[in-house]
Amino acid sequence: MTTQRLPFPVPDERAHLFVGSYADIHDLVEDLVVPDGVPEAAATVLRTARELLRQSYYCYEFSTVAVMHSLIVEIVLRDRIPDAGKKPLHQLIKQGAADGILTARQAEYLDYGRQIRNGMAHGQTTHAVMPPAMAVPTVTTSFAIVSELCAAPA
């Protein structure tokens, strides 16, 4: 058995299409701070999404993974929606909008993200790459939705 050592990370050649250096990508995500009061499970999801965005400097595809991961706001919805049980995400989104827990814009965003996530998870979308410049606003929206849901009275 041969042992292969992984090389130290080097910037993905595509990284320079959107930033000049790692410090620049850090600047893109520095405002993605998990607000106080967010349940730890959701906070972990958001922090992981932010770090995946930062690491997309080295692995371009991580920006897509960051977007997919940031869409796990389902954790907060289950906490806020009465009788959420094991309802699928599309039902939680509909119920959240009907109950006034989600705005129409939030519900639309979450449903669009759900469709993207499902397409990738079920093999309908197999080679999607979202450039970091497009991924940052999407992840930012997830941060905002979680923050708004956690700030609202339970």
Side-chain angles (χ1 to χ4, degrees), residues 7-79:
F8 285 102
V10 294
D12 188 299
E13 60 189 37
R14 297 165 290 182
H16 295 291
L17 298 173
F18 60 94
V19 294
S21 69
Y22 182 75
D24 295 334
I25 199 158
H26 176 78
D27 291 346
L28 283 174
V29 300
E30 72 180 337
D31 292 333
L32 295 178
V33 177
V34 178
D36 293 336
V38 172
E40 188 55 34
T44 298
V45 166
L46 295 176
R47 284 192 296 268
T48 300
R50 180 193 59 222
E51 294 309 309
L52 283 164
L53 276 175
R54 288 192 332 148
Q55 296 309 311
S56 69
Y57 182 75
Y58 298 105
C59 181
Y60 195 75
E61 288 78 7
F62 279 1
S63 60
T64 303
V65 178
V67 168
M68 302 312 300
H69 199 70
S70 76
L71 294 169
I72 306 178
V73 297
E74 184 173 347
I75 295 167
V76 176
L77 283 177
R78 288 197 184 281
D79 197 42

Side-chain angles (χ1 to χ4, degrees), residues 2-3 7 16 28 38 44 56 69 73-74 80 86 89 91 98 102 130 138:
T2 61
T3 305
H16 295 291
L28 283 174
V38 172
T44 298
S56 69
H69 199 70
V73 297
E74 184 173 347
R80 293 291 318 274
K86 294 187 180 203
L89 182 56
Q91 287 182 351
L102 295 171
M130 182 175 284
T138 304

